[in-house]
Each structure stands twice: as structure tokens, then as C-alpha cells.
Amino acid sequence: MTPTAPTTPTTNRPLVIASIMASMAMVAIEATIVSTVMPQIASELGGLHLYSWVFASFLLAQTAMTVVFGKLSDLYGRKPVMFVGIAIFLVGSVLAGFAWSMPAMICFRLIQGIGAGAIQPVALTIVGDLYPARERGKVQGYLASVWAVSAVVGPMIGALIVQKLQWGWIFWINVPIGLAAAFGFWRYLHEAPTVRRSSIDIAGAVLFTVGIAALMIALTDFGIGDMGSAALWTAVFVVTLVLFVMQERRAADPMVSLQLWGARIIATVNGAAMLGGMVLIGITTFLPMYVQVVLQRSSVTAGLTLTMVMLGWPIGATLTSRTFHRIGLWRMVLIGAVLIPMGTAAFALLSSNSTPALAAVGSFIMGLGMGVMSLASLILIQEAVDVAQRGVATASNVFSRNLGSALGATFFGAVFNFGLTRGDGAMAFTDDQLRLLLQGSHGSAATDAGIRLALGGSLHLTFMTMLVVSIGVVALALLLPKEGLESHAVGASKPAAK
């Protein structure tokens, strides 16, 4: 394959970046809108017991397909793979708006997730192709702001749509955005022709997808206490993993290069991204509950404390883009890694007498650290490999963060449930009691105080566990090589041009 040239004279970089931001906005806003209005949708469609699968199916498909599409973009070029991703995402969006039941909604959300698995990593790879490292940080800081704006705008749009329009419009609004993004790529992104000299590792792609799906289903079943099903899917994952490793070792052009993933830079940065993703999803899941129940504040206050993560993230990314060429990428990764446990420590210090401001400060610091580390890590990975491997390398980093989110949701959920379990094996309170408390239908003062005490203790244990995991991010960052990137290029005689 002749590598795609980083830029060509006819490519309009600003308009391509606008198209990238539009395509990523679809994925980012969709996540926040759906989480806001899904309770109303579930009440209309029924099947409330399948509620979590609306989100799990999207995440499962996105995680499993990220590396696959990253590899395909290296073989066929970024533009055709981005077209495929946008098309799949829009098909899933249109169908989801017409969903007639929860199983149908889960199926259509899975289709959306497949499309998102192409859009996110390939968009970041296009930025890596078009801009040298010094300029790339600034551009990717703009992309980080897309997620920050989506975190604020998404819930408001969702609430407005539910009040004024049919809920299907939360999915259908993606159509004009996606078509505009596709037109921008078609009109303004011009890649050099690519010549594919290798066949696609179909067996590896299938085994990889089945293995990731089995792992995430096993984690989900474990989290809800279905140990028999969890054990079965774990066995499927182990068998598939063995077959996958065997296949990738003998494949002429493997879907997932074991040499690439085993390189010191890739392994440490992706490991840190996975642990960071675990902590981030843990805070996202449990901090609002602590603020509402233990601190007895409104849902608006709880949302604001969590929004500070999205405020700190683009600030951290922007600071990184302006300073990494002076400080060094590995130092920036380390700085971001250190900020993450500093922010997490604020949650571990929370008590029933704390002010929500402490939680907000912790969220901001953690978001700052994630912004610094994620951007520095992405540039570090892209510069450490040859341009022909940039797509799969970028996808590996996105995949690691998504996998961390999936693992963290289940792992910290298990810690939380453990903290609520009494000595006789029963839960400290029932789901109905907690739901009534959140809805403001209080029971006796003693009962409410007991629920808050039990919940506070369990959440404190969960936050302490998050702090331990976040320290692991620092440990991995310390393993990064401090020498120049030139001596650590993977699969190439020299690193990509800067």
C-alpha cells in the first residue's frame, strides 16, 4: 500500500476540520441527549428491565469496531471509511427514531454504535494526517471542545424535543448534520490514491469482535448478578482470545498487530487511557448520586458538579496544544496522569457535611488531567508509528479508553454493591426505597437517615477504589520512555514527518 500523503494541495483543511467536528458532534450530542430522555422513552416503549442495554449495546458495538475500522482506514483510506461510518450511524439513527419496542431500540442503537466505531478514530486519524504535531495539538483541542459543548447543550436539546416534539427527533436531528459532514469530506478532503497490497484479515476481525462482545456481555451479566451467564460468556471470551492470538500471529497482515500493541509506548499509553476511562465513568456514574442523596442537593446541582469535568477537559487540551513542544510529550502525559488522582482525591474526601464545591473542584481537576493526558497521549502515539499504521494506532487509543469505560462501569458497580451488602448478605435498603428518596417521597426520618448513611459509606468505598485505580495511571505514565521519539518508532525505520 502506498501511504496516504498527509496533505495535498487541493485539500481545504479548515473545512475538513469543520466536517470532522460535525461528525463527532453527532456522536457526542447523541450520548447526552439519549441519557437525558431515555426514561421517558422507556416508559412509553416498556421493557424497563432492558434499560441499561440501550447504552450497553451502543458502547459494545463502538468498542468492538473501533480497531477494525482503524485498520480498514489504513488499507482503503480515511475518506471511504468515514463515509461508511456516517452512513451506518445515520441508518441506525433513522431506525431508532421509529423504534416500537425496547428490543428494537437496542438493536438500532447497536447499529449506531458500529457507525460511531468508525467516526471517532478515523476523524482523529485524519487530523493526524493533515497536520504536523505542532499544529495538531491545537486542532485536537477544538475537537475536545465539541464534547464539552455537547455535555451542556445535549440535555437542553433533549428536554426541549421531549416537550415540544416526538421523541424520535432526538435521533433524526443527526441526519442533516451527518449529510453536511459527508458533503464536507467529499468536497474538501482529497487523499492521494491508495493501492492495497494486502488482504483483510477477516478471521481476525470476526474473532476480535466476538471476543470483545463476549467480554462486555460477561461484565454486564456479572454486574447484575447473573453468574451462570457471566461464566459462560467469560469462557467464550477466553477461547476466542486464544484463537485470536493464534490467528494474528500467523496472519500476513493482521487486523491487530501484536508488535504494535506490545511496543512500550503504545502499551503504556493505552494502559493509562484504559485506567483513566475507568475512573472517568466511575465519577460520571456515582458522583451525581452522592450529591443528591448524601449531600441532599438538587439534580441540577449534581449535574453542575459533573459538568466541571467537561469544562476542565478542553482547557487541559488547549494548554497541552500550546506547551507540549516546549515541555515534551512524555512530560505532558505525566502531568495529566498526576492531575487525575489529585481530582479523584477530592471525591474520597467527601463527607455528609461537605459542600458541592469540593466535588466541583475535584471534577474540574480531573477533567483538566484527562484533557492534558488524552491529547498528549494521542499525539505521542501518532508520532511513534509510521503513517501507514497511524489509523490502527489511533484506534487502539480510542478503543482502550472505551474499554476502560465498559470495565469501570461494571467494576465500580460491583464495589458499590459490595459496600451496600450487610453481614447477612442482604442489601442495606431496597431499590424502591432509594427511588422514593430520590423522588422526594420521604419515609421516616430514621429510615431516610439510614439509607443516606449506608449509601454514603458505600460510595466512599467506591471513591477510594477509584483513587487507587487513578494512582495506577501515574504508575503507567512513569514507564514511558523519556528519550526522543525517533528511537521508539514502531514498524518503521523513521517516525512520521512532523
Side-chain angles (χ1 to χ4, degrees):
M1 182 183 71
T2 301
T4 302
T7 60
T8 62
T10 55
T11 293
N12 189 316
R13 296 196 302 179
L15 291 178
V16 170
I17 294 303
S19 301
I20 290 174
M21 294 178 73
S23 63
M24 294 186 70
M26 286 194 306
V27 180
I29 294 179
E30 188 71 4
T32 55
I33 288 181
V34 172
S35 62
T36 301
V37 304
M38 199 58 218
Q40 290 89 335
I41 296 176
S43 65
E44 180 177 330
L45 297 181
L48 190 61
H49 64 287
L50 298 173
Y51 183 89
S52 62
W53 273 101
V54 174
F55 305 95
S57 62
F58 182 95
L59 184 61
L60 187 153
Q62 183 184 21
T63 303
M65 298 306 296
T66 293
V67 175
V68 174
F69 280 118
K71 179 66 175 180
L72 291 176
S73 75
D74 285 336
L75 293 176
Y76 291 106
R78 321 302 184 201
K79 187 156 69 170
V81 175
M82 180 61 82
F83 284 154
V84 170
I86 292 175
I88 294 174
F89 191 87
L90 293 184
V91 168
S93 297
V94 172
L95 293 175
F98 290 107
W100 57 88
S101 66
M102 286 293 276
M105 175 65 76
I106 291 169
C107 178
F108 300 147
R109 285 281 289 169
L110 187 143
I111 295 174
Q112 277 190 306
I114 294 174
I119 292 172
Q120 190 175 5
V122 177
L124 295 174
T125 305
I126 291 174
V127 175
D129 291 342
L130 294 179
Y131 290 86
R134 182 179 293 269
E135 298 179 45
R136 194 182 311 153
K138 183 179 180 180
V139 174
Q140 288 172 336
Y142 296 154
L143 301 185
S145 68
V146 171
W147 294 89
V149 172
S150 300
V152 178
V153 175
M156 293 189 295
I157 295 177
L160 183 63
I161 288 176
V162 170
Q163 291 175 7
K164 304 295 183 180
L165 301 170
Q166 180 187 353
W167 58 259
W169 282 101
I170 69 172
F171 300 103
W172 298 334
I173 61 173
N174 291 321
V175 175
I177 300 175
L179 292 178
F183 174 79
F185 289 120
W186 172 76
R187 179 68 178 82
Y188 301 110
L189 177 62
H190 301 281
E191 297 180 296
T194 57
V195 180
R196 183 172 60 90
R197 294 190 315 212
S198 56
S199 59
I200 300 177
D201 179 19
I202 299 296
V206 171
L207 289 170
F208 181 86
T209 304
V210 171
I212 294 300
L215 174 62
M216 296 185 67
I217 295 173
L219 291 172
T220 302
D221 288 342
F222 178 79
I224 63 177
D226 189 349
M227 299 304 177
S229 179
L232 175 62
W233 284 108
T234 300
V236 173
F237 167 70
V238 172
V239 172
T240 306
L241 177 62
V242 173
L243 294 175
F244 174 75
V245 172
M246 294 172 59
Q247 168 64 21
E248 297 308 275
R249 284 187 171 181
R250 68 169 178 257
D253 187 32
M255 179 61 64
V256 175
S257 171
L258 299 181
Q259 177 190 5
L260 178 74
W261 281 71
R264 183 176 172 185
I265 289 178
I266 305 296
T268 52
V269 167
N270 285 348
M274 186 184 72
L275 296 183
M278 289 181 66
V279 176
L280 182 62
I281 195 66
I283 296 303
T284 303
T285 303
F286 295 106
L287 181 60
M289 186 183 298
Y290 194 97
V291 174
Q292 289 184 69
V293 179
V294 181
L295 301 186
Q296 303 181 49
R297 303 304 173 100
S298 67
S299 59
V300 174
T301 302
L304 289 174
T305 60
L306 193 58
T307 301
M308 296 301 290
V309 173
M310 294 297 108
L311 178 62
W313 194 306
I315 292 176
T318 301
L319 291 175
T320 301
S321 68
R322 296 179 177 179
T323 58
F324 78 86
H325 55 279
R326 295 193 303 268
I327 297 177
L329 285 171
W330 76 267
R331 290 188 180 91
M332 295 305 299
V333 172
L334 182 59
I335 290 171
V338 170
L339 287 172
I340 292 174
M342 288 177 61
T344 310
F347 308 123
L349 294 174
L350 286 173
S351 68
S352 58
N353 298 320
S354 297
T355 170
L358 178 59
V361 170
S363 294
F364 178 79
I365 295 175
M366 183 176 176
L368 193 68
M370 289 295 296
V372 172
M373 188 183 76
S374 62
L375 180 56
S377 298
L378 187 60
I379 298 174
L380 184 63
I381 280 183
Q382 290 179 340
E383 290 300 290
V385 300
D386 181 73
V387 66
Q389 290 184 308
R390 187 174 287 159
V392 71
T394 302
S396 73
N397 189 248
V398 176
F399 165 80
S400 298
R401 191 160 58 244
N402 289 343
L403 181 61
S405 296
L407 293 172
T410 302
F411 175 70
F412 292 124
V415 174
F416 174 71
N417 290 333
F418 175 80
L420 290 178
T421 304
R422 299 186 309 205
D424 59 359
M427 301 297 287
F429 51 83
T430 65
D431 292 340
D432 289 338
Q433 288 176 315
L434 177 60
R435 186 180 69 254
L436 291 174
L437 183 61
L438 288 171
Q439 293 175 348
S441 303
H442 303 291
S444 66
T447 300
D448 290 349
I451 293 175
R452 290 193 174 95
L453 180 63
L455 194 66
S458 178
L459 287 172
H460 179 72
L461 175 63
T462 306
F463 291 147
M464 289 296 296
T465 307
M466 291 179 195
L467 179 58
V468 174
V469 173
S470 66
I471 293 174
V473 177
V474 181
L476 285 171
L478 289 172
L479 295 177
L480 276 173
K482 302 177 179 57
E483 299 82 5
L485 289 175
E486 291 78 10
S487 61
H488 295 282
V490 180
S493 59
K494 62 180 180 179
K498 300 181 183 180

